[in-house]
Amino acid sequence: MKELVENWLGRIQPFAWDVIIVAVAIIIGLLVKFIIKAVLNYKKEHTDYSLFRSILTHFSPPLNHFVPLLLLNIMEPMMDLPPRYDLILSRTMQIALIISFAVLLMSAINVFEDYIYHTYDLNKEDNLEERKIRTQVGFIRKVLGTLVVFITIAVILLSFDNVRKIGAGLLTGVGIGGIIIGFAAQKSLGNLLAGFQIAFTQPIRIDDVLVVEGEWGRVEDITLTYVVLNIWDQRRLILPINYFIEKPFQNWTRTTSEILGTVF
């Protein structure tokens, strides 16, 4: 009986230690969440823009899971687990931490966008400069967001030995594969290059007044692949982004925010 009790105690002690480590990480994460929520509640009466408030607002959700995952990754070697389970837990936490860090990067991009949007406010009479900057920032944000997603997926896949070996074997055929992918993605790459051209040469900008396909409206959104035109009667005209490189259209606010017209 004494031996059974000792064996049971010997098994429960490592398990209890592991539970304590996980609990500490979760408690610290909840503490960070509580502090951020308390600060936001203290400042909720202030509706004006604040860089500090923007950082708290955007970083609060990802920090809720990033901090506990970071602590678990740091404290994981201290846990007493069988080798098989230790490997599974370690790999799972690493992948979760990579995803959490990617969300944190996306939040940083949103903070930067908030700052630019506050600095270059559209609600003014002559907003030509503001529309230029907002068009560029909006496109850059979408490109950076796409890059973060692709890099995150690549890092996760490369963390698996089998995938890394397959990738090394495929490098020998990268020339032929690149040509095939180039032909397959020709239209997508064309849209992406057209987006870069529009963002920096700016034949159109956010809030520009255009006449396209016989329709009069304002540019509501410019994405990586299409442009949304808000027609005067609240309809939306969706056009591929390379349309504005290949076909003629009218831009009534190309050099000024004033709209001129002739009445007969």
Side-chain angles (χ1 to χ4, degrees), residues 8 18 31 36 43 51 75 88 116 127 147 176 180 185 191-192 196 198 240-241 253 255:
W8 183 80
D18 296 340
L31 184 62
I36 293 174
K43 290 183 168 289
L51 181 60
M75 300 169 70
I88 294 173
I116 295 297
N127 59 4
L147 285 176
I176 298 174
I180 294 172
N191 284 332
L192 182 62
F196 273 110
I198 285 175
I241 198 165
T253 52
T255 57

Side-chain angles (χ1 to χ4, degrees), residues 16 73 85 155 179 243 256:
N73 273 271
Y85 295 107
V155 171
I179 294 172
Y243 176 96
T256 179

Side-chain angles (χ1 to χ4, degrees), residues 120-135:
Y120 298 92
D121 189 8
L122 287 177
N123 297 321
K124 56 190 298 189
E125 186 175 350
D126 187 7
N127 59 4
L128 183 62
E129 184 66 24
E130 284 72 16
R131 289 188 284 116
K132 287 181 180 179
I133 299 297
R134 283 200 176 204
T135 301

Side-chain angles (χ1 to χ4, degrees), residues 23 25 43 49 54-56 60 76-77 96 108 146 166 199 201 224-225 246 256 261 263-264:
K43 290 183 168 289
Y49 170 81
S54 177
I55 291 172
L56 284 178
S60 174
E76 187 268 336
T146 304
I166 293 172
T201 62
L224 297 179
T225 55
E246 299 172 352
T256 179
V263 177
F264 294 96

Side-chain angles (χ1 to χ4, degrees), residues 48-108:
D48 295 337
Y49 170 81
S50 166
L51 181 60
F52 178 68
R53 182 182 178 83
S54 177
I55 291 172
L56 284 178
T57 302
H58 289 293
F59 278 91
S60 174
L63 282 177
N64 291 338
H65 47 78
F66 179 78
V67 173
L69 286 171
L70 180 61
L71 290 173
L72 280 174
N73 273 271
I74 294 172
M75 300 169 70
E76 187 268 336
M78 301 168 59
M79 299 177 72
D80 188 9
L81 291 172
R84 180 182 176 183
Y85 295 107
D86 184 62
L87 179 62
I88 294 173
L89 179 64
S90 176
R91 183 61 56 84
T92 302
M93 288 193 301
Q94 287 175 5
I95 293 173
L97 186 63
I98 291 170
I99 296 173
S100 180
F101 183 71
V103 176
L104 209 61
L105 288 178
M106 298 291 286
S107 299

